[in-house]
Amino acid sequence: MMQNHKNTTLRNAIAEIRNAGMTVTGWARVHGFKPDTVFKILHGYYGCNGGKVAKRIIVALIKDGHLQEGVKVV
């Protein structure tokens, strides 16, 4: 079974957040996002239509250094 590169990259962001000493729930709340929405995006289940919230979360993850630029929610 092959994994989608985008989903693997998003899931790696979870480890990056934890390595920074935070939980995904804590990171989401600090940035004003619903934790459930952040988890859905990081697991590739949300944002298939390129939603604005998903894009804002991706931008925040990049800004905080938890995700590399170039990941798009499509």
Side-chain angles (χ1 to χ4, degrees):
M1 177 183 210
M2 294 180 61
Q3 276 194 311
N4 181 319
H5 176 69
K6 181 183 89 170
N7 288 347
T8 301
T9 301
L10 290 171
R11 288 185 186 149
N12 287 342
I14 296 170
E16 293 294 326
I17 292 168
R18 290 180 180 155
N19 287 339
M22 292 191 83
T23 63
V24 174
T25 298
W27 183 90
R29 289 183 177 150
V30 165
H31 290 82
F33 301 119
K34 293 180 182 178
D36 196 45
T37 303
V38 173
F39 275 108
K40 287 177 183 176
I41 291 165
L42 291 174
H43 288 286
Y45 298 123
Y46 190 82
C48 294
N49 62 0
K52 291 179 185 178
V53 174
K55 288 179 183 178
R56 288 185 18 230
I57 291 170
I58 296 296
V59 168
L61 287 165
I62 291 168
K63 184 177 178 183
D64 284 1
H66 302 305
L67 196 61
Q68 292 182 1
E69 284 202 50
V71 174
K72 296 178 183 178
V73 179
V74 291

